[in-house]
C-alpha cells in the first residue's frame, strides 16, 4: 500500500476493485468443473480465517499432466482498507458494490470498489 500511495500525486485518486469478503463467504462454492474448447477446468476452493484459496487444475489431451495453479487472496474488509489507506495519507471517498457502480452492501454485493483520495504526504 505504501508503494501505491507514494506513486499518487496530492489530491490524486486511487481505484481499488476487491472482492467483498462477507459476500464471498456467504456465497462460497467449494468445487466446480467446466470444459471449454477441449480444456477441462477443475476448481477447488477453501478458506481459513485470513485467506481464500483457489486451486485450478487444467487438463487437455495435449498435456502429459494437468497444469495446476493456486491463488491466495487476503480477506481484507472495508475497515482494513480504510486503516491501510489512512496510514498512507489516503482517505476512501466512495465505495461501490458492483461493476454498475451500485451501492455497496456488506452482505449483498459481490465487489468492493473503492475510490480513495490522497490527502497528505
Amino acid at each position: 500500500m505504501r508503494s501505491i500511495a507514494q506513486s499518487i500525486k496530492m489530491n490524486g485518486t486511487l481505484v481499488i476493485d476487491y472482492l467483498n469478503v462477507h459476500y464471498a463467504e456467504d456465497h462460497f462454492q467449494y468445487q466446480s468443473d467446466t470444459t471449454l474448447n477441449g480444456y477441462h477446468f477443475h476448481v477447488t476452493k477453501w478458506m481459513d480465517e485470513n485467506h481464500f484459496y483457489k486451486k485450478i487444475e487444467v487438463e487437455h489431451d495435449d498435456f502429459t499432466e494437468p497444469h495446476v495453479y493456486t491463488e491466495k487472496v487476503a480477506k481484507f474488509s472495508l475497515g482494513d482498507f480504510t486503516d491501510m489507506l489512512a496510514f498512507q495519507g489516503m482517505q476512501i471517498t466512495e465505495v461501490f458494490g458492483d461493476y454498475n457502480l451500485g451501492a455497496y452492501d456488506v452482505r449483498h454485493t459481490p465487489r468492493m470498489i473503492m475510490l480513495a483520495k490522497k490527502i497528505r504526504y
Side-chain angles (χ1 to χ4, degrees):
M1 201 58 72
R2 178 180 41 238
S3 296
I4 293 169
Q6 288 174 344
S7 69
I8 296 175
K9 295 179 183 180
M10 189 64 165
N11 295 314
T13 300
L14 169 67
V15 178
I16 299 174
D17 173 19
Y18 208 75
L19 61 90
N20 178 349
V21 170
H22 305 291
Y23 180 91
E25 288 175 335
D26 291 346
H27 295 85
F28 203 73
Q29 183 179 0
Y30 290 91
Q31 288 194 7
S32 65
D33 286 280
T34 305
T35 301
L36 181 66
N37 297 327
Y39 293 88
H40 180 76
F41 302 87
H42 178 71
V43 179
T44 305
K45 297 179 184 180
W46 66 100
M47 63 178 142
D48 61 24
E49 187 175 318
N50 299 311
H51 295 92
F52 291 109
Y53 302 88
K54 179 174 18 175
K55 180 173 136 184
I56 305 166
E57 297 176 72
V58 185
E59 297 174 346
H60 189 271
D61 290 342
D62 293 342
F63 299 167
T64 55
E65 58 185 51
H67 294 198
V68 180
Y69 307 92
T70 304
E71 299 175 6
K72 178 180 176 181
V73 178
K75 289 184 174 181
F76 291 138
S77 68
L78 181 56
D80 294 327
F81 277 105
T82 299
D83 291 346
M84 288 186 287
L85 288 165
F87 191 71
Q88 299 303 323
M90 301 197 68
Q91 181 176 28
I92 293 178
T93 58
E94 291 189 71
V95 183
F96 302 102
D98 58 38
Y99 294 126
N100 293 318
L101 305 182
Y104 170 75
D105 182 288
V106 72
R107 289 283 177 207
H108 298 104
T109 54
R111 305 304 302 171
M112 189 169 51
I113 303 169
M114 299 159 279
L115 301 182
K117 187 173 194 170
K118 184 154 189 175
I119 57 172
R120 65 174 169 76
Y121 281 104

